[in-house]
Amino acid sequence: MSPTLKRLLSFAFLLLTLGIVLYAGFQGNDLEELAVALSSMSPVYLAICLACWALYVVCNALSVFHFLTCQGYRIRLGQCLHAAITGLYYSNITPGASGGQPMEMYCLSKYRISIGVSGSALAVKFVVFQAMLLLTGAVLWAANFGYVSQHAPGMTWFIVLGYVVNFFSIGMVALMAISSRAVHAVIELCIRVGVRLKICKSPDASRLRWENHCQSFLSSVRMLIRKPRDVLVQCLIALVELFSLMAVIIALYHSFGLSGDGLSQLLAMGVLLYVSASFTPLPGASGAQEGGFAAFFRDIFPDATLFVALLIWRFSTYYLTLLVGALVSVVDNARGLKAQNTKE
């Protein structure tokens, strides 16, 4: 299956999911109530939602920028921001977010960052963010256990499953980041598969090239580990990135004039929703995210406000990334075609 066809299928799936959500929302709510709920929202809180998305993207780029500059690489934050938006876009349109990291590494290679070094930057970003996500979720869950059980009954097993899957993914990436034996084993496996599929015509050359990349990968990760202060900065960036996503829910809650639920309680629900739905191997975890939001927040956002909150939350945390990422991708492709035509 060609990459273009895969991308079209992903977009078709996203549109199908959005259509199902819209159909269910309009069927289950009175149109007049939806209009009242939407009109009651303050534009200030909508602006806050957009600001939260912007802060999330900047923090995503800042993690890579900090990693590279700490190791002496000359790169601008704007270049890391371009790579981050590209990576987030492809993560959101590919199953299991499998396309994001390769595309972000490719984008960074245009700024003379080797695959090994960019790969280590993304591995550190992933491990640190996931660790902060699970740690923050555990603390908030313990502090608000009764509240979570009351408002999201039956979701405990999904949360536990989310923790198991995320712990496994952290362990796999961390093993790759610290063990040269694990890296070499993966290289050998990939080369064997490539030879069997007849896409790797020169195994020895491929092995040497990838071992050089992986040596750079391991060296740069170990260099960061030896600097606790830089690790702490990465943790702080990841926390701000996480809370910028969760702040969208808090802004929506207050935009409807709701009260009675504390900041810690809303954060707990948002983080545990992220943990339980993010591992779903579908583009953007579509379906699981929308269904999870309805299950976690149905007793918090009353009546029609739940559907309106769901749409604005999903737009602020997902569809806006698709729109901006698609625009960046179109501009990049146009520039590439122009450069190619100029050379010819």
Side-chain angles (χ1 to χ4, degrees):
M1 187 181 296
S2 67
T4 302
L5 181 57
K6 289 182 179 179
R7 194 181 306 178
L8 290 175
L9 289 176
S10 295
F11 277 118
F13 176 79
L14 295 177
L15 291 174
L16 175 62
T17 304
L18 178 60
I20 293 173
V21 171
L22 291 174
Y23 176 79
F26 285 117
Q27 286 292 107
N29 293 281
D30 184 81
L31 291 178
E32 185 176 346
E33 292 180 356
L34 291 174
V36 170
L38 188 59
S39 63
S40 67
M41 295 189 63
S42 169
V44 173
Y45 286 105
L46 293 177
I48 291 175
C49 291
L50 297 180
C52 290
W53 172 84
L55 180 59
Y56 165 71
V57 175
V58 170
C59 287
N60 193 286
L62 189 59
S63 174
V64 174
F65 176 75
H66 175 262
F67 182 93
L68 295 175
T69 53
C70 283
Q71 300 197 31
Y73 290 91
R74 300 182 63 181
I75 189 169
R76 297 191 301 272
L77 179 59
Q79 294 171 328
C80 291
L81 188 61
H82 174 229
I85 292 175
T86 302
L88 288 170
Y89 169 66
Y90 281 94
S91 289
N92 285 333
I93 65 172
T94 53
S98 57
Q101 289 79 9
M103 288 305 299
E104 190 166 353
M105 291 165 62
Y106 170 73
C107 193
L108 288 170
S109 69
K110 296 180 180 179
Y111 305 126
R112 300 181 181 180
I113 306 297
S114 70
I115 292 177
V117 174
S118 62
S120 60
L122 298 183
V124 168
K125 178 174 70 172
F126 174 80
V127 170
V128 171
F129 180 83
Q130 293 299 111
M132 291 297 100
L133 169 68
L134 299 184
L135 179 60
T136 303
V139 172
L140 290 171
W141 194 10
N144 302 279
F145 186 80
Y147 179 88
V148 174
S149 300
Q150 176 187 351
H151 290 278
M155 298 302 295
T156 301
W157 288 110
F158 290 98
I159 298 172
V160 172
L161 179 60
Y163 265 90
V164 171
V165 174
N166 280 286
F167 266 123
F168 178 76
S169 64
I170 290 176
M172 292 297 293
V173 176
L175 179 64
M176 289 289 294
I178 62 177
S179 173
S180 58
R181 182 176 298 179
V183 169
H184 290 141
V186 172
I187 292 174
E188 287 297 329
L189 176 62
C190 291
I191 290 176
R192 289 177 184 175
V193 172
V195 170
R196 182 166 296 183
L197 296 177
K198 297 182 180 180
I199 59 176
C200 180
K201 299 180 180 180
S202 180
D204 292 335
S206 298
R207 185 180 295 107
L208 179 61
R209 182 172 65 255
W210 281 105
E211 284 183 351
N212 289 335
H213 287 318
C214 290
Q215 188 58 45
S216 299
F217 171 86
L218 293 169
S219 298
S220 55
V221 170
R222 289 166 182 168
M223 188 182 300
L224 178 70
I225 294 174
R226 290 194 293 267
K227 299 177 180 178
R229 181 179 177 182
D230 292 336
V231 175
L232 178 60
V233 171
Q234 287 286 341
C235 292
L236 292 175
I237 293 172
L239 281 175
V240 175
E241 182 180 355
L242 174 62
F243 284 125
S244 65
L245 284 177
M246 301 305 111
V248 173
I249 294 173
I250 297 170
L252 288 171
Y253 180 80
H254 290 289
S255 71
F256 292 112
L258 301 174
S259 60
D261 299 287
L263 177 62
S264 175
Q265 295 168 333
L266 294 174
L267 286 175
M269 299 295 278
V271 173
L272 294 176
L273 166 61
Y274 195 107
V275 170
S276 60
S278 60
F279 67 87
T280 308
L282 295 171
S286 293
Q289 290 282 9
E290 291 85 354
F293 187 93
F296 275 84
F297 291 97
R298 61 188 173 188
D299 293 334
I300 297 174
F301 291 97
D303 304 323
T305 59
L306 177 64
F307 179 57
V308 176
L310 167 59
L311 290 181
I312 298 176
W313 167 76
R314 195 60 168 146
F315 175 80
S316 301
T317 60
Y318 179 66
Y319 289 107
L320 185 56
T321 303
L322 287 184
L323 293 175
V324 176
L327 178 62
V328 171
S329 179
V330 169
V331 171
D332 286 345
N333 290 335
R335 288 178 176 174
L337 289 174
K338 183 178 180 180
Q340 185 177 357
N341 292 334
T342 302
K343 289 181 180 180
E344 293 177 355

